[in-house]
Amino acid sequence: VRLMLSVPENGGQQTSSIIYFNVNDIHQAYDDFSNSGVIFLDSPHLIAKINHTETWMCFFKDSENNTLGLVSEIMKP
């Protein structure tokens, strides 16, 4: 379990918690969700590189306008 507490980036007005769903392949999950009608706020993008691990995220809204995220950690050789 990972918990991140911070203020919204770029002066955003996020007023609720964001639930992140860990997926093995964020690009495939993005394509699958998009093909099922999910409207994303952005495309998968690199958040951080730490040693040999890249962290990727993308965000979408659910039917009640809550922001949800997909996250994937990719090990690089």
Side-chain angles (χ1 to χ4, degrees):
V1 174
R2 187 178 296 168
L3 176 63
M4 179 180 158
L5 303 174
S6 68
V7 296
E9 292 182 3
N10 302 323
Q13 299 298 314
Q14 181 69 30
T15 58
S16 63
S17 299
I18 298 175
I19 296 175
Y20 294 85
F21 296 95
N22 188 37
V23 295
N24 290 326
D25 183 337
I26 195 165
H27 296 95
Q28 184 63 53
Y30 176 84
D31 289 343
D32 291 345
F33 278 52
S34 293
N35 291 335
S36 296
V38 173
I39 306 291
F40 281 86
L41 303 175
D42 55 9
S43 58
H45 54 281
L46 181 64
I47 297 294
K49 284 185 180 183
I50 301 172
N51 296 322
H52 298 290
T53 303
E54 293 181 353
T55 302
W56 289 73
M57 291 183 183
C58 59
F59 298 91
F60 60 97
K61 295 281 188 174
D62 69 7
S63 60
E64 296 177 359
N65 206 37
N66 297 302
T67 301
L68 303 172
L70 299 180
V71 62
S72 185
E73 291 185 334
I74 302 169
M75 298 295 290
K76 296 290 183 173

